[in-house]
Amino acid sequence: MNTLGKITLLHYRCGKGIILHPICASMVYGGLAKTHGVHLVLQSKLCSTSSTGTRETFDEFRAREEQKEKEATTHKIPNSNDGYDEDKNDPKVLAVKESILTAALGYVPTHGWSKKAIAKGAESVNYSSSVNGLFPRNGIEVLDFFHKVCNQNLVEYLKLQASRNDKVQDSATFARKAIEVRLRMLIPYLQHWPQALGLMALPPNAPTSLAHVLTLADDICYYAGDRSVDFNWYTRRIGLASIYKATELYMMQDNSQDFEKTWKFLNRRVEEARVLHDFLVKSEHATLHIQNAVESTFSTARNILGLNFDRR
């Protein structure tokens, strides 16, 4: 409530005549106020004077209180409970969030995908650690940011590889290498990746997490040279997403040098996918039903992430 909305006007005598003076019910000026019985003990501070000896008028008091409120609002830290949601798409706010989340990734190996990592990241870029209002979903916001950054970096890699050849001769080899590059981005955070999988599996987070994987598979297939408009478009992307997640789970348990066993596992899954793809393509009934089931999946995934299909 506005401070002036809490003002109770009291009449009291001070010197000659009667002066109307405001008293904020939420403030204590060295006295005691009781609403029932109207028992007031007031000290002489109510009749305060300025350095020139002039009593403070009501207008002066009001101006002073409004100035205090203005200063408090100016230095207020935004949070999710004071209308900050209205400014969440502000470019300046987004820039601040990005800088904090980028710094927070450096603290994930120590503090996991947590609010603590965000606070440490904020401090490292000269922001207050009490910026929780910017990240109401806590650790999952760092994880979502990590996926977006990794997928963007992968796209840059895919563009570079695709530009070296007018046409990719072996799309399976291209896709296998792309999956390996993407999985290697997890290595610095592998200790806390079980926690990441747990966060992604929570019902509120599952749609966005699935969207990240499907978008990843779509980008790899596109830059591998897949321009099909038939059922092959769906089978390749669903198959690639499955291979990625299976290899990701295997990688978490791999203690071999440079994850050698993981890459061998990936090679086997890619070869198996070729056989499965040939079977599905030759099955007319499977083709029709699966295509109807997944036709809108990838467009929905990109809509969730706010992406489009323009890769120019």
Side-chain angles (χ1 to χ4, degrees):
M1 180 182 293
N2 190 294
T3 302
L4 294 180
K6 299 178 181 178
I7 290 179
T8 304
L9 297 179
L10 299 177
H11 287 80
Y12 66 92
R13 297 185 177 277
C14 182
K16 294 183 178 180
I18 298 178
I19 300 174
L20 188 64
H21 200 290
I23 296 177
C24 179
S26 63
M27 298 181 179
V28 178
Y29 290 91
L32 174 65
K34 292 184 178 179
T35 56
H36 298 286
V38 194
H39 177 65
L40 299 173
V41 179
L42 301 171
Q43 291 184 350
S44 60
K45 194 170 183 179
L46 291 172
C47 298
S48 62
T49 60
S50 66
S51 59
T52 60
T54 305
R55 292 192 183 93
E56 182 182 48
T57 65
F58 175 73
D59 290 338
E60 291 172 341
F61 174 84
R62 182 172 60 184
R64 177 162 55 82
E65 293 301 314
E66 288 178 346
Q67 180 63 26
K68 287 182 180 179
E69 286 195 1
K70 183 178 180 180
E71 292 176 355
T73 304
T74 301
H75 297 89
K76 191 176 183 181
I77 297 176
N79 58 66
S80 58
N81 297 323
D82 60 9
Y84 168 72
D85 289 341
E86 297 177 0
D87 300 325
K88 63 182 179 180
N89 294 322
D90 186 297
K92 293 182 179 179
V93 174
L94 293 177
V96 171
K97 291 184 66 175
E98 182 174 347
S99 65
I100 293 175
L101 290 173
T102 300
L105 288 176
Y107 294 92
V108 170
T110 304
H111 301 287
W113 307 94
S114 64
K115 182 166 57 176
K116 183 68 173 178
I118 296 177
K120 289 291 186 181
E123 291 176 351
S124 69
V125 289
N126 300 321
Y127 288 101
S128 170
S129 60
S130 58
V131 292
N132 298 333
L134 288 173
F135 309 99
R137 297 167 61 218
N138 298 323
I140 190 62
E141 300 216 32
V142 188
L143 185 57
D144 280 343
F145 179 75
F146 172 74
H147 277 300
K148 290 178 182 178
V149 171
C150 288
N151 286 353
Q152 290 170 0
N153 292 339
L154 178 65
V155 167
E156 294 303 316
Y157 166 82
L158 296 175
K159 286 181 179 179
L160 179 62
Q161 295 301 311
S163 65
R164 293 178 177 176
N165 300 296
D166 294 336
K167 183 177 181 180
V168 179
Q169 297 299 322
D170 187 354
S171 59
T173 301
F174 182 92
R176 191 211 66 79
K177 182 60 177 176
I179 292 177
E180 179 181 340
V181 169
R182 179 63 176 81
L183 286 173
R184 284 187 178 277
M185 297 179 187
L186 307 183
I187 293 178
Y189 310 95
L190 210 54
Q191 178 184 357
H192 296 284
W193 203 245
Q195 179 195 9
L197 295 179
L199 288 173
M200 289 187 289
L202 294 175
N205 306 329
T208 302
S209 302
L210 176 62
H212 285 305
V213 177
L214 295 180
T215 301
L216 163 69
D218 185 29
D219 287 333
I220 293 176
C221 287
Y222 178 86
Y223 289 105
D226 180 20
R227 302 294 188 273
S228 59
V229 293
D230 56 5
F231 177 65
N232 292 336
W233 193 96
Y234 301 100
T235 57
R236 289 192 181 103
R237 284 156 176 78
I238 292 294
L240 199 62
S242 301
I243 291 172
Y244 176 85
K245 294 304 294 184
T247 309
E248 177 187 49
L249 293 175
Y250 187 94
M251 185 180 186
M252 293 172 55
Q253 307 173 55
D254 185 7
N255 296 319
S256 62
Q257 182 69 26
D258 193 34
F259 300 95
E260 180 181 357
K261 292 182 179 179
T262 296
W263 313 136
K264 290 181 178 179
F265 175 87
L266 174 59
N267 289 335
R268 293 194 297 271
R269 301 292 80 77
V270 171
E271 291 302 319
E272 291 172 357
R274 294 189 188 195
V275 177
L276 178 61
H277 175 265
D278 291 341
F279 169 76
L280 290 176
V281 168
K282 293 177 181 178
S283 176
E284 296 181 359
H285 295 291
T287 299
L288 178 61
H289 290 295
I290 296 177
Q291 181 173 352
N292 290 336
V294 302
E295 183 173 1
S296 62
T297 302
F298 288 91
S299 59
T300 301
R302 288 190 171 272
N303 289 336
I304 290 174
L305 298 178
L307 302 175
N308 55 49
F309 288 89
D310 185 6
R311 296 184 175 87
R312 292 176 294 176

